[in-house]
Amino acid sequence: MDPGHDRPVHARVRPHPAHREALDLAASLAEELQAADAVLLAVPLYNFGVSQHFKTWADLVIAGAGPAAPVLKDTPTVLATVRGGGYGPGTPREGWDHSTPYLRRVLADMWQADLSVIERELTLAATTPAMEPLRDLAARLHSEALDTAHEVGQALATR
């Protein structure tokens, strides 16, 4: 308590209108997500993590719903993610993908989504001369990602 006041500072401060608007936006985003019949998110690897845009959106949803709220409980959710290089087991940058594990943690573990993930690596192989030896592998990974997307789409359509 401040000297001369009978209530703590936080009880005497009125929220700024912009703060109230931000909280209203957060609640609205969380409600919109909870009302979804299905969710499709396309989130590429961006500088080894998620983009600031996705992170800000996720932070707002968490602020609006609460950190423990399962906003996607049992909701069919598809995450499509791409990586320009190779980050899988045995590659020089294995473990550098800080996006996909984070997304799985938030979507499946925190928000309890019924999550399907479509992943593709080596998307820059076709346009990067140094990656030319990886172009056949990149084409195969592209084909596999398309097959997975088709399977996931078919499964969603039959729900």
Side-chain angles (χ1 to χ4, degrees):
M1 298 244 215
D2 283 346
H5 293 92
D6 59 349
R7 296 182 307 158
V9 171
H10 72 274
R12 296 190 317 265
V13 175
R14 291 188 186 158
H16 188 278
H19 185 231
R20 173 55 39 213
E21 289 173 15
L23 292 173
D24 290 345
L25 172 61
S28 174
L29 291 173
E31 290 166 7
E32 179 180 25
L33 200 54
Q34 283 177 312
D37 295 325
V39 175
L40 171 61
L41 298 166
V43 185
L45 179 67
Y46 187 79
N47 291 332
F48 312 111
V50 296
S51 75
Q52 66 180 352
H53 308 95
F54 181 87
K55 180 71 168 75
T56 299
W57 175 79
D59 288 346
L60 284 168
V61 170
I62 291 167
V71 295
L72 289 175
K73 184 157 183 67
D74 301 325
T75 301
T77 302
V78 178
L79 168 64
T81 188
V82 295
R83 296 177 285 275
Y87 297 86
T91 64
R93 290 203 171 160
E94 177 180 357
W96 285 40
D97 173 3
H98 300 289
S99 176
T100 309
Y102 164 81
L103 293 165
R104 288 178 189 273
R105 178 76 60 212
V106 171
L107 298 171
D109 297 342
M110 287 179 62
W111 293 351
Q112 299 181 16
D114 178 8
L115 183 63
S116 299
V117 180
I118 303 165
E119 299 179 76
R120 179 171 171 222
E121 289 197 331
L122 303 176
T123 60
L124 294 176
T127 60
T128 304
M131 295 177 77
E132 186 173 353
L134 300 172
R135 288 181 180 162
D136 288 342
L137 175 58
R140 190 182 91 235
L141 294 173
H142 181 214
S143 179
E144 290 172 5
L146 289 174
D147 290 345
T148 301
H150 181 77
E151 291 167 14
V152 169
Q154 290 291 334
L156 270 176
T158 60
R159 287 187 134 193

